[in-house]
Amino acid sequence: MSTLAYDLVVLIVTFFCCLVYNFLLYRHPAYVAKKGFTYLLVFLAMYPLLNMIAHLIAVGTLSVIRWQHGVFQYDIKFYALTQFAVLLILINAYLLSCIKQISRGNWGTYRHMVLACVLQIAIVLPLFPFNPISLLPVATSFILVIRLMLAMQTGRVKGLKLEKSIKGCTTYA
């Protein structure tokens, strides 16, 4: 199977996983965001996450095949490939948890999301000369940050108004 076929499979799985994840978000009683906005944010975090999971599977499969043939070497290349994937999986999983909070009106995670996206860009962008596909997490992080900034600036964000809590204290939702 070619690399393009694997990429298409990951893209199709991403659409399905985004639908399931968003369905779970929509069902929560505290959900206040627009559905299209949330779906876009989830897609932008889910696609790199699933790509890195596929990357780990590919690296692991090739390592097992090499081990069976007696030519596997634990070296810096193997370590870097697995460490890189695990780090990006953790960043994108964190972004998904922040998106869950935003969908419930908690925009306090906005800065944390921007910092996670900047971290992902800083980690991945230097790899562009070696592998052009490394621009995928850079592009998704950039689009995610731009979309969040537009949502904040246009003022069409739900959940940023002052609300009364049960105890009578004024809090930001």
Side-chain angles (χ1 to χ4, degrees):
M1 220 171 162
S2 69
T3 305
L4 179 61
Y6 287 121
D7 291 340
L8 289 175
V9 167
V10 170
L11 184 63
I12 291 167
V13 169
T14 302
F15 281 123
F16 177 73
C17 288
C18 287
L19 285 173
V20 171
Y21 191 78
N22 278 301
F23 178 73
L24 296 173
L25 290 178
Y26 302 155
R27 291 178 43 106
H28 195 275
Y31 184 82
V32 295
K34 293 183 178 182
K35 292 180 181 179
F37 173 71
T38 307
Y39 186 87
L40 176 66
L41 295 181
V42 168
F43 179 81
L44 291 172
M46 185 81 67
Y47 191 51
L49 181 127
L50 293 179
N51 268 299
M52 288 299 107
I53 290 173
H55 172 78
L56 270 182
I57 291 170
V59 168
T61 302
L62 289 174
S63 298
V64 167
I65 291 170
R66 288 183 181 146
W67 178 71
Q68 289 174 342
H69 287 94
V71 293
F72 174 74
Q73 279 186 322
Y74 180 78
D75 56 2
I76 192 68
K77 181 180 177 185
F78 173 77
Y79 177 76
L81 286 173
T82 55
Q83 181 187 29
F84 175 76
V86 169
L87 180 62
L88 291 182
I89 287 170
L90 291 174
I91 289 172
N92 286 292
Y94 178 73
L95 286 173
L96 284 174
S97 70
C98 290
I99 292 167
K100 180 169 119 178
Q101 294 301 317
I102 284 179
S103 73
R104 295 178 181 169
N106 180 8
W107 278 81
T109 60
Y110 168 75
R111 287 190 174 143
H112 300 286
M113 288 182 70
V114 171
L115 287 174
C117 287
V118 168
L119 177 64
Q120 183 164 263
I121 290 170
I123 291 170
V124 178
L125 191 59
L127 296 173
F128 172 68
F130 306 113
N131 188 2
I133 196 70
S134 66
L135 285 181
L136 172 72
V138 172
T140 57
S141 291
F142 184 72
I143 294 169
L144 197 139
V145 168
I146 295 298
R147 185 59 189 112
L148 285 172
M149 288 170 55
L150 287 174
M152 292 290 285
Q153 289 178 354
T154 58
R156 291 185 282 170
V157 175
K158 294 181 181 179
L160 282 178
K161 299 176 230 164
L162 285 172
E163 294 182 358
K164 291 279 187 180
S165 69
I166 295 172
K167 296 178 183 176
C169 299
T170 304
T171 59
Y172 287 100

